[in-house]
Amino acid sequence: MFYLGEHYAQPVSLDELASHAHVSRSHLSFLFRTELHTAFKTLLGRLRVQKASELLSTDLRQPITDVAMSVGFADLSHFEKSFRRQWGKSPREFRRGIVAATPVPAHRPLSAPAR
């Protein structure tokens, strides 16, 4: 899990992860299913979408395509489908919600200049 957390944005395969964990590919796949109740690719996709949502929340100017690529998605369409599956809304809708929820500073009247 630590390795995935560090390398989620890179192309990571189950074989590569198994090699780092010093287990066979089939045993690691079994562990994902039995211990984490999910498949490797599903977990990796969720991790990438989670990281993308953090970027969308903190950097409102970064293009969505750049966010998708920076977390390891190869194409925008797959990213948008994965994002919608996890959050129930598109990345744009998610970001609009962040912008709408951001408080606008209250207008303070200018004070008279000191004499």
Side-chain angles (χ1 to χ4, degrees):
M1 293 304 295
F2 180 76
Y3 184 84
L4 273 183
E6 293 287 315
H7 297 90
Y8 66 88
Q10 301 164 357
V12 180
S13 69
L14 186 59
D15 289 327
E16 179 184 352
L17 189 58
S19 174
H20 282 280
H22 305 291
V23 297
S24 71
R25 179 184 201 278
S26 61
H27 184 65
L28 185 58
S29 181
F30 169 78
L31 290 173
F32 269 98
R33 286 191 319 271
T34 59
E35 299 299 320
L36 301 174
H37 307 287
T38 190
F40 163 72
K41 283 191 172 189
T42 302
L43 181 70
L44 181 58
R46 284 186 197 147
L47 179 60
R48 287 175 171 167
V49 168
Q50 179 60 40
K51 296 296 184 178
S53 67
E54 292 169 14
L55 289 173
L56 290 168
S57 299
T58 57
D59 187 353
L60 301 176
R61 292 178 178 237
Q62 186 176 14
I64 291 173
T65 302
D66 292 353
V67 170
M69 301 301 158
S70 73
V71 298
F73 282 93
D75 66 87
L76 186 60
S77 176
H78 184 228
F79 169 66
E80 288 182 340
K81 286 177 189 172
S82 297
F83 197 95
R84 185 177 294 279
R85 192 177 309 119
Q86 189 164 325
W87 287 101
K89 56 181 87 172
S90 73
R92 278 176 191 73
E93 292 167 336
F94 179 87
R95 183 176 266 171
R96 275 191 220 123
I98 298 296
V99 171
T102 304
V104 177
H107 176 70
R108 294 185 345 197
L110 296 175
S111 58
R115 290 188 202 199

mmCIF file of all heavy atoms in Angstrom, residues 90-112:
data_model
loop_
_atom_site.group_PDB
_atom_site.id
_atom_site.type_symbol
_atom_site.label_atom_id
_atom_site.label_comp_id
_atom_site.label_asym_id
_atom_site.label_seq_id
_atom_site.Cartn_x
_atom_site.Cartn_y
_atom_site.Cartn_z
ATOM 1 N N SER A 90 -19.149 14.966 -12.297
ATOM 2 C CA SER A 90 -17.961 15.120 -13.136
ATOM 3 C C SER A 90 -16.914 15.959 -12.393
ATOM 4 O O SER A 90 -17.240 16.660 -11.427
ATOM 5 C CB SER A 90 -18.332 15.824 -14.442
ATOM 6 O OG SER A 90 -18.586 17.201 -14.207
ATOM 7 N N PRO A 91 -15.658 15.912 -12.849
ATOM 8 C CA PRO A 91 -14.627 16.757 -12.228
ATOM 9 C C PRO A 91 -14.992 18.251 -12.279
ATOM 10 O O PRO A 91 -14.747 18.983 -11.324
ATOM 11 C CB PRO A 91 -13.373 16.469 -13.045
ATOM 12 C CG PRO A 91 -13.602 15.127 -13.643
ATOM 13 C CD PRO A 91 -15.086 15.029 -13.861
ATOM 14 N N ARG A 92 -15.625 18.684 -13.369
ATOM 15 C CA ARG A 92 -16.026 20.096 -13.477
ATOM 16 C C ARG A 92 -17.095 20.444 -12.444
ATOM 17 O O ARG A 92 -17.039 21.494 -11.811
ATOM 18 C CB ARG A 92 -16.550 20.389 -14.881
ATOM 19 C CG ARG A 92 -15.452 20.659 -15.871
ATOM 20 C CD ARG A 92 -15.992 20.850 -17.291
ATOM 21 N NE ARG A 92 -14.919 20.845 -18.257
ATOM 22 C CZ ARG A 92 -14.229 19.769 -18.630
ATOM 23 N NH1 ARG A 92 -14.505 18.608 -18.110
ATOM 24 N NH2 ARG A 92 -13.264 19.855 -19.517
ATOM 25 N N GLU A 93 -18.077 19.551 -12.308
ATOM 26 C CA GLU A 93 -19.134 19.773 -11.313
ATOM 27 C C GLU A 93 -18.544 19.769 -9.904
ATOM 28 O O GLU A 93 -18.930 20.586 -9.064
ATOM 29 C CB GLU A 93 -20.204 18.692 -11.425
ATOM 30 C CG GLU A 93 -21.013 18.770 -12.698
ATOM 31 C CD GLU A 93 -21.852 17.527 -12.951
ATOM 32 O OE1 GLU A 93 -21.510 16.435 -12.439
ATOM 33 O OE2 GLU A 93 -22.855 17.661 -13.674
ATOM 34 N N PHE A 94 -17.614 18.873 -9.660
ATOM 35 C CA PHE A 94 -16.937 18.808 -8.364
ATOM 36 C C PHE A 94 -16.234 20.131 -8.071
ATOM 37 O O PHE A 94 -16.381 20.709 -7.004
ATOM 38 C CB PHE A 94 -15.926 17.655 -8.375
ATOM 39 C CG PHE A 94 -15.143 17.508 -7.105
ATOM 40 C CD1 PHE A 94 -15.643 16.751 -6.051
ATOM 41 C CD2 PHE A 94 -13.889 18.097 -6.958
ATOM 42 C CE1 PHE A 94 -14.916 16.596 -4.876
ATOM 43 C CE2 PHE A 94 -13.166 17.954 -5.789
ATOM 44 C CZ PHE A 94 -13.683 17.201 -4.743
ATOM 45 N N ARG A 95 -15.489 20.620 -9.060
ATOM 46 C CA ARG A 95 -14.748 21.877 -8.879
ATOM 47 C C ARG A 95 -15.700 23.055 -8.706
ATOM 48 O O ARG A 95 -15.468 23.929 -7.882
ATOM 49 C CB ARG A 95 -13.824 22.114 -10.058
ATOM 50 C CG ARG A 95 -12.978 23.364 -9.874
ATOM 51 C CD ARG A 95 -12.003 23.556 -10.992
ATOM 52 N NE ARG A 95 -10.722 22.972 -10.618
ATOM 53 C CZ ARG A 95 -9.720 22.825 -11.463
ATOM 54 N NH1 ARG A 95 -9.854 23.163 -12.718
ATOM 55 N NH2 ARG A 95 -8.583 22.322 -11.046
ATOM 56 N N ARG A 96 -16.796 23.085 -9.472
ATOM 57 C CA ARG A 96 -17.786 24.160 -9.306
ATOM 58 C C ARG A 96 -18.346 24.173 -7.902
ATOM 59 O O ARG A 96 -18.597 25.234 -7.333
ATOM 60 C CB ARG A 96 -18.922 24.003 -10.312
ATOM 61 C CG ARG A 96 -18.629 24.616 -11.641
ATOM 62 C CD ARG A 96 -19.879 24.665 -12.505
ATOM 63 N NE ARG A 96 -19.485 24.320 -13.853
ATOM 64 C CZ ARG A 96 -19.977 23.325 -14.574
ATOM 65 N NH1 ARG A 96 -20.933 22.567 -14.093
ATOM 66 N NH2 ARG A 96 -19.542 23.094 -15.782
ATOM 67 N N GLY A 97 -18.556 22.991 -7.332
ATOM 68 C CA GLY A 97 -19.034 22.892 -5.948
ATOM 69 C C GLY A 97 -18.038 23.459 -4.968
ATOM 70 O O GLY A 97 -18.412 24.092 -3.978
ATOM 71 N N ILE A 98 -16.754 23.250 -5.226
ATOM 72 C CA ILE A 98 -15.696 23.803 -4.364
ATOM 73 C C ILE A 98 -15.711 25.330 -4.464
ATOM 74 O O ILE A 98 -15.667 26.031 -3.467
ATOM 75 C CB ILE A 98 -14.299 23.272 -4.775
ATOM 76 C CG1 ILE A 98 -14.219 21.756 -4.619
ATOM 77 C CG2 ILE A 98 -13.194 23.969 -4.003
ATOM 78 C CD1 ILE A 98 -14.351 21.232 -3.227
ATOM 79 N N VAL A 99 -15.791 25.823 -5.692
ATOM 80 C CA VAL A 99 -15.799 27.273 -5.910
ATOM 81 C C VAL A 99 -17.028 27.897 -5.259
ATOM 82 O O VAL A 99 -16.938 28.927 -4.595
ATOM 83 C CB VAL A 99 -15.740 27.604 -7.422
ATOM 84 C CG1 VAL A 99 -15.966 29.076 -7.667
ATOM 85 C CG2 VAL A 99 -14.407 27.159 -8.003
ATOM 86 N N ALA A 100 -18.183 27.267 -5.410
ATOM 87 C CA ALA A 100 -19.426 27.805 -4.844
ATOM 88 C C ALA A 100 -19.387 27.800 -3.325
ATOM 89 O O ALA A 100 -19.977 28.674 -2.682
ATOM 90 C CB ALA A 100 -20.617 26.996 -5.338
ATOM 91 N N ALA A 101 -18.676 26.854 -2.738
ATOM 92 C CA ALA A 101 -18.617 26.748 -1.278
ATOM 93 C C ALA A 101 -17.538 27.635 -0.661
ATOM 94 O O ALA A 101 -17.489 27.795 0.552
ATOM 95 C CB ALA A 101 -18.365 25.295 -0.869
ATOM 96 N N THR A 102 -16.691 28.216 -1.504
ATOM 97 C CA THR A 102 -15.620 29.075 -0.995
ATOM 98 C C THR A 102 -16.203 30.417 -0.581
ATOM 99 O O THR A 102 -16.821 31.109 -1.389
ATOM 100 C CB THR A 102 -14.530 29.291 -2.075
ATOM 101 O OG1 THR A 102 -14.060 28.021 -2.494
ATOM 102 C CG2 THR A 102 -13.385 30.128 -1.539
ATOM 103 N N PRO A 103 -16.018 30.782 0.688
ATOM 104 C CA PRO A 103 -16.590 32.057 1.142
ATOM 105 C C PRO A 103 -15.922 33.246 0.460
ATOM 106 O O PRO A 103 -14.721 33.251 0.228
ATOM 107 C CB PRO A 103 -16.321 32.064 2.639
ATOM 108 C CG PRO A 103 -15.305 31.018 2.892
ATOM 109 C CD PRO A 103 -15.298 30.083 1.713
ATOM 110 N N VAL A 104 -16.722 34.209 0.130
ATOM 111 C CA VAL A 104 -16.221 35.448 -0.457
ATOM 112 C C VAL A 104 -15.943 36.412 0.690
ATOM 113 O O VAL A 104 -16.782 36.580 1.581
ATOM 114 C CB VAL A 104 -17.266 36.059 -1.418
ATOM 115 C CG1 VAL A 104 -16.789 37.381 -1.980
ATOM 116 C CG2 VAL A 104 -17.598 35.082 -2.520
ATOM 117 N N PRO A 105 -14.764 37.037 0.697
ATOM 118 C CA PRO A 105 -14.469 37.965 1.791
ATOM 119 C C PRO A 105 -15.500 39.097 1.836
ATOM 120 O O PRO A 105 -15.924 39.612 0.810
ATOM 121 C CB PRO A 105 -13.094 38.516 1.450
ATOM 122 C CG PRO A 105 -12.570 37.700 0.322
ATOM 123 C CD PRO A 105 -13.712 36.942 -0.273
ATOM 124 N N ALA A 106 -15.898 39.455 3.023
ATOM 125 C CA ALA A 106 -16.871 40.541 3.204
ATOM 126 C C ALA A 106 -16.226 41.856 2.804
ATOM 127 O O ALA A 106 -15.045 42.080 3.025
ATOM 128 C CB ALA A 106 -17.327 40.595 4.652
ATOM 129 N N HIS A 107 -17.022 42.712 2.212
ATOM 130 C CA HIS A 107 -16.527 44.029 1.816
ATOM 131 C C HIS A 107 -16.421 44.908 3.052
ATOM 132 O O HIS A 107 -17.364 45.042 3.822
ATOM 133 C CB HIS A 107 -17.493 44.657 0.802
ATOM 134 C CG HIS A 107 -17.109 46.049 0.425
ATOM 135 N ND1 HIS A 107 -15.997 46.304 -0.337
ATOM 136 C CD2 HIS A 107 -17.664 47.239 0.728
ATOM 137 C CE1 HIS A 107 -15.899 47.625 -0.483
ATOM 138 N NE2 HIS A 107 -16.917 48.204 0.141
ATOM 139 N N ARG A 108 -15.254 45.449 3.253
ATOM 140 C CA ARG A 108 -15.062 46.360 4.385
ATOM 141 C C ARG A 108 -14.940 47.777 3.834
ATOM 142 O O ARG A 108 -14.211 48.020 2.894
ATOM 143 C CB ARG A 108 -13.772 46.019 5.141
ATOM 144 C CG ARG A 108 -13.857 44.689 5.809
ATOM 145 C CD ARG A 108 -12.648 44.392 6.652
ATOM 146 N NE ARG A 108 -11.520 45.256 6.381
ATOM 147 C CZ ARG A 108 -10.291 44.992 6.755
ATOM 148 N NH1 ARG A 108 -10.026 43.895 7.409
ATOM 149 N NH2 ARG A 108 -9.293 45.820 6.498
ATOM 150 N N PRO A 109 -15.666 48.692 4.420
ATOM 151 C CA PRO A 109 -15.560 50.077 3.934
ATOM 152 C C PRO A 109 -14.164 50.625 4.224
ATOM 153 O O PRO A 109 -13.536 50.261 5.220
ATOM 154 C CB PRO A 109 -16.623 50.835 4.725
ATOM 155 C CG PRO A 109 -16.957 49.961 5.886
ATOM 156 C CD PRO A 109 -16.606 48.559 5.505
ATOM 157 N N LEU A 110 -13.710 51.442 3.323
ATOM 158 C CA LEU A 110 -12.404 52.076 3.526
ATOM 159 C C LEU A 110 -12.532 53.113 4.629
ATOM 160 O O LEU A 110 -13.487 53.869 4.711
ATOM 161 C CB LEU A 110 -11.930 52.754 2.249
ATOM 162 C CG LEU A 110 -11.676 51.822 1.060
ATOM 163 C CD1 LEU A 110 -11.339 52.654 -0.177
ATOM 164 C CD2 LEU A 110 -10.529 50.886 1.379
ATOM 165 N N SER A 111 -11.554 53.154 5.474
ATOM 166 C CA SER A 111 -11.583 54.157 6.554
ATOM 167 C C SER A 111 -11.049 55.464 5.995
ATOM 168 O O SER A 111 -10.323 55.500 5.018
ATOM 169 C CB SER A 111 -10.742 53.692 7.741
ATOM 170 O OG SER A 111 -9.420 53.467 7.322
ATOM 171 N N ALA A 112 -11.424 56.524 6.640
ATOM 172 C CA ALA A 112 -10.959 57.850 6.229
ATOM 173 C C ALA A 112 -9.469 57.944 6.479
ATOM 174 O O ALA A 112 -8.962 57.390 7.465
ATOM 175 C CB ALA A 112 -11.688 58.927 7.002
#
